[in-house]
């Protein structure tokens, strides 16, 4: 399992602290390849690219069966930044915040999202070619 990193993002609307998973990985792929690889995988998993509070993110779910899950991929200088979170529901369909991938509450959807994030990391991780022996 990949070592997961977290940070808290303070949102000014209502002063709510929202937690997201965050990781940054080195990659040998260019921005178009990163986009193609992540799009192919996330679409196959049922995600759709949407606008979420001004951010382009991948979203799956609408709250009927499970909390909506989100993955954001950014490419900067041969590094890929990955953020992931699920929406926190106060009541059915009343979402009030974001939850990162740690903690027991929401363990099942968090576990599924962790697995998808780990797959994205594996697909995009920097792979150095081994020298060819003569």
């Amino acid at each position: 399992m990949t070592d997961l990193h977290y940070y808290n993002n303070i949102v000014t609307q209502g002063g709510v602290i929202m937690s997201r998973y965050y990781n940054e990985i080195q990659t040998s792929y260019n921005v178009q390849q990163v986009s193609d690889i992540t799009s192919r995988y996330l679409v196959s998993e049922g995600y759709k690219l949407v606008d979420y509070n001004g951010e382009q993110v991948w979203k799956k779910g609408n709250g009927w069966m499970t909390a909506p899950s989100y993955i954001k991929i950014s490419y900067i200088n041969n590094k890929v930044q990955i953020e992931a979170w699920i929406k926190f529901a106060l009541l059915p369909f009343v979402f009030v915040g974001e939850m990162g991938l740690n903690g027991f509450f929401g363990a099942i959807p968090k576990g599924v999202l962790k697995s998808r994030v780990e797959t994205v990391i594996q697909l995009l991780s920097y792979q150095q070619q081994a020298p060819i022996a003569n």
Side-chain angles (χ1 to χ4, degrees), residues 6 22 27 30 32-33 41 53 56 59 64 84 94 103 110 120 125 129 131:
Y6 296 89
Y22 176 83
T27 188
N30 65 40
Q32 187 60 51
Q33 291 169 318
Y41 172 68
N53 297 331
Q56 288 293 303
K59 177 186 177 190
W64 279 99
V94 180
K110 286 179 182 179
V120 169
S125 290
Q129 297 284 333

Side-chain angles (χ1 to χ4, degrees), residues 7-106:
Y7 77 99
N8 286 326
N9 183 16
I10 299 173
V11 178
T12 57
Q13 293 177 332
V16 179
I17 296 176
M18 302 202 189
S19 178
R20 291 185 182 181
Y21 160 86
Y22 176 83
N23 198 353
E24 189 173 277
I25 61 170
Q26 192 74 28
T27 188
S28 60
Y29 297 113
N30 65 40
V31 66
Q32 187 60 51
Q33 291 169 318
V34 167
S35 178
D36 291 346
I37 291 166
T38 56
S39 294
R40 195 174 318 118
Y41 172 68
L42 292 173
V43 166
S44 76
E45 292 293 313
Y47 281 80
K48 294 179 182 179
L49 193 60
V50 299
D51 181 76
Y52 174 79
N53 297 331
E55 300 176 281
Q56 288 293 303
V57 301
W58 292 93
K59 177 186 177 190
K60 181 174 183 174
N62 58 15
W64 279 99
M65 297 299 287
T66 186
S69 63
Y70 297 84
I71 299 174
K72 180 180 176 185
I73 309 289
S74 304
Y75 179 91
I76 301 170
N77 299 327
N78 294 335
K79 292 183 182 175
V80 177
Q81 296 173 342
I82 302 168
E83 297 178 48
W85 66 97
I86 62 173
K87 292 294 285 181
F88 176 78
L90 185 59
L91 299 169
F93 302 104
V94 180
F95 299 103
V96 295
E98 300 173 357
M99 286 191 295
L101 303 182
N102 62 350
F104 181 75
F105 186 75

